[in-house]
Amino acid sequence: MTVRKAIFPAAGLGTRFLPVTKAQPKEMLPLVDKPTIQYGVEEAIASGIQEVIMVTGGGKRAIVDHFDRSVELEHYLQERGRADLLDILARVDRLSDEVVITYTQQKEPLGLGHAVWTARLLVEGEPCAVLLADDVILCETKPVLKQLIDAHAETGATVLAVRKVPPSQVSRYGIIATNGSRNGLHEVTDVVEKPIEADAPSDLAMLGRYVLAPAVFEELGHTDPGAGKEIQLTDAIKRTIGRHHVVALEFEGDYYDTGTVPGYLRANLMMAMKREELRGELAPLLRELLGD
Ligand code: G1P
């Protein structure tokens, strides 16, 4: 079955970024000049997704406004003949023409698994993608989500995006156990949320892109709180292993973890340096700061 829908869990409180996230969703923090969540929505559209389901909570109005039209701003720019800026607005507007965006509320912060489960009635029993907006992954040849969707089309399995991480970092992620790979896909035999280094079954971490078979939603309904006392998506996936096929794909693409302050700053710097108009000013500044 084709994957038509994608869930964006966006209800988190963003406490790692306080105070900027006190009155502003962390998903709206920019990477250079584009909100983090827009990268994910663009990736979903480029991967053939037709419906984006945003799971939001209180204080997330700015996300809704961002993907809506701003007639007032358009008039303002038209009067001043700013075709260049109108073009940037039009590009954002087009996103909500290319995909239906629906919103549902997670009423309590009970964890990632609970946020995904909140969207179950909109998913209507279909296989469904999940994108974590914190994890920005750019790939010029094929968007990461499309890589996963293609793997799902071949296997019918739940597909997890994974990449090797240094052993010292395994406790920050969901980690897979695998008994080998077939056709470039790891056969997943177990998943563990945020293991301590000594207990990690591998160094392959799940990095924020999933295609979930409907069985995962059934399990989410009765998954108890796990790591961090939160209902974990990883735990629901684990409960399907054995009865349902779960595979992991070592994806291609540049990965930016924008969910921590150092990761966010790194992503901004790296993306800014890729922009010709900014690199000219930034490169000498960086050299100066490093004392070269
Ligand atoms: C979540 C998932 C984890 C995954 C990570 C990727 O954790 O629970 O399995 O590896 O995203 O970024 P979080 O970063 O929300 O703590």
Side-chain angles (χ1 to χ4, degrees), residues 124-195:
E124 297 177 307
E126 296 184 20
C128 180
V130 174
L131 293 93
L132 307 186
D134 277 358
D135 293 320
V136 174
I137 309 174
L138 302 178
C139 183
E140 276 174 20
T141 45
K142 196 198 261 191
V144 178
L145 183 59
K146 181 74 170 101
Q147 296 172 34
L148 264 62
I149 289 174
D150 287 352
H152 174 78
E154 274 170 38
T155 59
T158 288
V159 188
L160 314 171
V162 296
R163 177 162 283 182
K164 284 190 166 66
V165 296
S168 60
Q169 287 181 20
V170 290
S171 60
R172 285 173 43 190
Y173 298 102
I175 303 293
I176 68 158
T178 166
N179 64 3
S181 55
R182 224 177 294 152
N183 302 328
L185 294 172
H186 294 280
E187 294 291 328
V188 176
T189 55
D190 197 7
V191 286
V192 191
E193 183 65 15
K194 301 192 173 67

Side-chain angles (χ1 to χ4, degrees), residues 1-16:
M1 198 172 177
T2 46
V3 181
R4 301 186 311 121
K5 302 182 180 183
I7 300 173
F8 283 74
L13 298 173
T15 50
R16 283 177 190 151

Side-chain angles (χ1 to χ4, degrees), residues 70-287:
S70 174
V71 177
E72 196 186 345
L73 188 52
E74 280 174 29
H75 280 163
Y76 177 89
L77 296 173
Q78 264 153 8
E79 276 170 17
R80 284 156 184 79
R82 294 301 307 266
D84 53 336
L85 298 181
L86 281 164
D87 194 44
I88 294 175
L89 282 195
R91 261 180 267 152
V92 184
D93 281 347
R94 269 201 297 276
L95 298 176
S96 52
D97 293 333
E98 290 173 24
V99 79
V100 175
I101 305 182
T102 53
Y103 298 87
T104 187
Q105 265 73 46
Q106 184 188 21
K107 295 194 177 115
E108 289 170 278
L110 298 180
L112 174 61
H114 181 260
V116 171
W117 188 70
T118 302
R120 71 198 175 283
L121 297 178
L122 296 166
V123 172
E124 297 177 307
E126 296 184 20
C128 180
V130 174
L131 293 93
L132 307 186
D134 277 358
D135 293 320
V136 174
I137 309 174
L138 302 178
C139 183
E140 276 174 20
T141 45
K142 196 198 261 191
V144 178
L145 183 59
K146 181 74 170 101
Q147 296 172 34
L148 264 62
I149 289 174
D150 287 352
H152 174 78
E154 274 170 38
T155 59
T158 288
V159 188
L160 314 171
V162 296
R163 177 162 283 182
K164 284 190 166 66
V165 296
S168 60
Q169 287 181 20
V170 290
S171 60
R172 285 173 43 190
Y173 298 102
I175 303 293
I176 68 158
T178 166
N179 64 3
S181 55
R182 224 177 294 152
N183 302 328
L185 294 172
H186 294 280
E187 294 291 328
V188 176
T189 55
D190 197 7
V191 286
V192 191
E193 183 65 15
K194 301 192 173 67
I196 60 166
E197 193 179 329
D199 293 345
S202 78
D203 57 358
L204 288 167
M206 296 187 248
L207 295 184
R209 296 291 180 281
Y210 310 78
V211 171
L212 302 178
V216 176
F217 284 87
E218 287 154 28
E219 291 304 335
L220 276 170
H222 30 92
T223 297
D224 293 327
K229 299 199 172 64
E230 295 189 340
I231 297 173
Q232 297 290 351
L233 178 57
T234 302
D235 293 344
I237 294 169
K238 183 191 188 91
R239 290 166 68 114
T240 68
I241 296 171
R243 288 179 295 118
H244 294 275
H245 196 188
V246 180
V247 298
L249 173 74
E250 284 190 64
F251 61 89
E252 282 174 35
D254 296 331
Y255 169 68
Y256 303 94
D257 173 9
T258 72
T260 63
V261 173
Y264 173 75
L265 295 175
R266 171 185 174 272
N268 264 294
L269 208 50
M270 291 186 74
M271 288 203 186
M273 288 296 280
K274 283 186 184 170
R275 296 249 297 250
E276 217 173 302
E277 78 279 16
L278 297 173
R279 195 172 48 231
E281 282 193 43
L282 276 178
L285 174 68
L286 289 174
R287 275 195 294 272

